[in-house]
Amino acid sequence: MSNDDDARAELEEWSEFIGRIRYDGPRSGDAGDERLADEAVSNEFSSWGRLDGSAEMNNLICRALEIGYLRALQDVREQRIAGLGPTE
């Protein structure tokens, strides 16, 4: 197996892993979360300038950031963040 094959296999593994991280979707009243996440990630990603990674790698990074942002929004709204209200 070549280095390119190894890199492609690792990228596919990471893509599958990120795909398994679940975002439960917006709750009622939170329908704009996907738009907020997309805007936040776009702003963050564009501030990095040109990345030398492949399009697949850049997409993977964006997907991971979006999921993290969406889950953080859920945690804040459900008051699961210390200092912002009750925690479990």
Side-chain angles (χ1 to χ4, degrees):
M1 191 178 259
S2 72
N3 285 342
D4 287 343
D5 291 338
D6 289 341
R8 170 97 22 224
E10 186 172 355
L11 186 63
E12 288 175 11
E13 287 176 23
W14 276 104
S15 182
E16 288 176 23
F17 175 73
I18 289 170
R20 285 193 305 262
I21 299 172
R22 299 292 301 163
Y23 165 63
D24 296 331
R27 309 265 185 332
S28 59
D30 299 339
D33 283 1
E34 283 91 356
R35 182 184 50 78
L36 290 172
D38 183 60
E39 289 175 7
V41 170
S42 294
N43 288 336
E44 181 64 29
F45 202 70
S46 68
S47 73
W48 296 345
R50 183 180 168 275
L51 296 180
D52 292 331
S54 66
E56 293 90 356
M57 179 60 81
N58 292 343
N59 182 46
L60 190 68
I61 292 168
C62 283
R63 285 179 42 219
L65 288 170
E66 285 175 351
I67 290 169
Y69 191 84
L70 288 165
R71 293 198 62 177
L73 282 172
Q74 279 184 338
D75 286 346
V76 168
R77 287 201 172 99
E78 294 172 9
Q79 299 180 332
R80 293 189 300 230
I81 305 294
L84 295 179
T87 58
E88 296 177 340

